[in-house]
Amino acid sequence: MTPLVALAAVAAWHAAFQLAVSTLAYPTLLEQPADRFAAAHDRHSRRILVLVVPTYAAVLGAVAWVVAAGPRTPAVLLAVALQGVVLLLTALLAAPTHGALGREGRTPALARRLRAVDAARSVTALAGLVAAVAALA
């Protein structure tokens, strides 16, 4: 396997993971009744880790490999940058929103913020996949 093939494969995995969160996990979480939301959020936060940790580790590993080994074409750099943007959106916006949901419970503002950040992550992950596949050409 080459670094570019690894990047494309991991980009596909990452996009699939992100779409599953967007279309399954978050809608299910946010539709919970107010009196059950705290428990549902706690369960979600624990359970999602078994997917988040290996996915983000794979993203970091593939990105590091392709940056170290090359090539460093514009398409490759775009694919790498888009993966990084998803990780930054997660660390700087999604994770703090989850923290607030855990402390304050579901509010309309927090639910809107989570959905907006998640939409940005999904679009960016899909763009990262397109860029990674284009880099193979």
Side-chain angles (χ1 to χ4, degrees):
M1 179 177 295
T2 68
L4 286 181
V5 170
L7 181 64
V10 168
W13 171 6
H14 192 196
F17 163 76
Q18 188 56 53
L19 289 172
V21 169
S22 297
T23 61
L24 298 170
Y26 284 173
T28 300
L29 174 64
L30 293 173
E31 73 184 7
Q32 296 302 307
D35 63 331
R36 294 189 203 156
F37 182 78
H41 185 263
D42 288 345
R43 279 191 310 277
H44 165 81
S45 296
R46 283 191 313 276
R47 290 175 177 168
I48 198 84
L49 282 177
V50 299
L51 298 173
V52 169
V53 171
T55 300
Y56 287 2
V59 168
L60 291 170
V63 164
W65 189 17
V66 81
V67 167
R72 292 183 194 92
T73 65
V76 171
L77 295 176
L78 177 61
V80 165
L82 289 166
Q83 293 301 314
V85 169
V86 178
L87 297 180
L88 286 172
L89 287 169
T90 300
L92 299 177
L93 298 172
T97 301
H98 272 290
L101 285 164
R103 288 186 307 277
E104 302 168 29
R106 183 187 60 225
T107 67
L110 289 174
R112 277 192 306 276
R113 185 186 321 160
L114 187 63
R115 285 187 189 105
V117 170
D118 193 57
R121 291 191 304 169
S122 290
V123 168
T124 307
L126 286 169
L129 171 57
V130 170
V133 170
L136 290 171

